[in-house]
Amino acid sequence: MAYDYYAMVPYHESRRPHPLEEVVEPLEQFGFKVALEECASPDRYAEALMRWWAWPDPFLMVEHDVVCSKELLSSIWSCPELLCVGDYYWR
């Protein structure tokens, strides 16, 4: 299943619990184009969110500490609502 949509991943270099590759790989395997956003301050995070919400196409936002399963990505992407969230397990 491939999409021509972005997955946005905000991160802070000093606060990552695991390598970004672990977050990015499942998103790319599912078919998302991944956009990494360095958010070294709360202002940068807020600016990124405002920019993404103005994005004209659907997108998925995944925090830097979440590694998504295929099931989670599929359930969120197939959700018919304007805003969807999913459960994940902390590891």
Side-chain angles (χ1 to χ4, degrees):
M1 184 179 311
Y3 298 102
D4 194 24
Y5 295 119
Y6 280 90
M8 311 297 192
V9 180
Y11 71 97
H12 188 290
E13 192 61 42
S14 68
R15 295 186 179 147
R16 289 188 293 120
H18 44 260
L20 278 175
E21 296 80 25
E22 290 183 28
V23 177
V24 170
E25 186 176 313
L27 297 169
E28 290 178 337
Q29 287 177 352
F30 198 77
F32 286 101
K33 297 176 184 175
V34 178
L36 298 173
E37 181 84 38
E38 169 76 45
C39 295
S41 73
D43 289 341
R44 287 282 296 140
Y45 187 84
E47 290 166 5
L49 286 177
M50 287 187 289
R51 192 171 54 257
W52 296 340
W53 280 116
W55 193 263
D57 297 315
F59 69 90
L60 179 68
M61 187 174 117
V62 178
E63 296 290 339
H64 68 161
D65 57 354
V66 176
V67 176
C68 297
S69 66
K70 286 184 179 180
E71 295 79 18
L72 174 61
L73 291 171
S74 183
S75 70
I76 289 175
W77 200 248
S78 64
C79 175
E81 302 301 324
L82 182 60
L83 180 64
C84 301
V85 298
D87 293 329
Y88 64 93
Y89 297 100
W90 183 260
R91 49 181 197 143

